[in-house]
Amino acid sequence: MLVTFPIALTMCTLGADGFYWWTGDSFWARAALWASGMAFLFGLAAGLAGTVELLLVPGIRARAASWTHFILAVMLLSILGANWGYRLTGYEEAVLPWGLLLSALAAGFTAVTGWHGGKLVFDYQIGTSRNGKG
C-alpha cells in the first residue's frame, strides 16, 4: 500500500499542472504544490520500507533487478523532491514551464520504476507466497 499513494499523487501533480496550463486557475497550481509535496513525503516512507526490505532480505538483495529498481526509485525521489522544492517559492510561477516538465519527468520515471517493481513481483515473485498461505 505504501507505493500506491506516491504513484497516484505523482500523476495528480502532472494532471493539476496540465489543468493549470489549460485554465490558468490558481487552484490547480496550489493542488499541484500539495500533490507534489505529499508524493515526495509518501515516497520517502515507501523508500524507507523498501530500503529496509532490500538490505535485510537476502533473496531480494541477490537479484540485480532489485538494485535496478532501488536506483530508479532513489532517482525518482530526487525528482519528486526537486519538483516540490521548486514550487515552495511560488507555486503559480513554478508551474510553467519547469514545474510541468518536472512533473512529466516524474511521471515517466514512475512508469519505468513501477515496471521494474512489477517485474520483481510478477517475474521473480518477490513479496508473494507460492503456496497461497500468507
Side-chain angles (χ1 to χ4, degrees):
M1 282 305 296
L2 280 175
V3 298
T4 56
F5 284 106
I7 291 169
L9 288 164
T10 299
M11 298 308 166
C12 286
T13 304
L14 179 61
D17 283 345
F19 280 125
Y20 176 75
W21 186 23
W22 185 35
T23 66
D25 187 352
S26 66
F27 166 80
W28 294 112
R30 196 169 54 253
L33 167 72
W34 281 96
S36 65
M38 291 300 101
F40 175 66
L41 294 176
F42 280 119
L44 284 176
L48 178 64
T51 301
V52 167
E53 193 174 38
L54 175 71
L55 296 177
L56 295 181
V57 180
I60 296 173
R61 218 177 27 241
R63 302 214 179 270
S66 299
W67 291 97
T68 302
H69 178 68
F70 175 77
I71 291 167
L72 288 170
V74 169
M75 292 170 64
L76 175 58
L77 275 175
S78 300
I79 295 167
L80 291 174
N83 196 4
W84 183 41
Y86 183 67
R87 293 166 192 272
L88 288 175
T89 58
Y91 57 89
E92 281 190 67
E93 299 82 20
V95 174
L96 296 172
W98 301 112
L100 183 60
L101 290 172
L102 281 169
S103 295
L105 182 64
F109 256 85
T110 300
V112 173
T113 304
W115 182 78
H116 279 279
K119 188 173 156 183
L120 290 171
V121 172
F122 295 111
D123 290 351
Y124 300 116
Q125 298 185 350
I126 301 292
T128 63
S129 174
R130 291 177 192 216
N131 62 8
K133 296 180 183 178

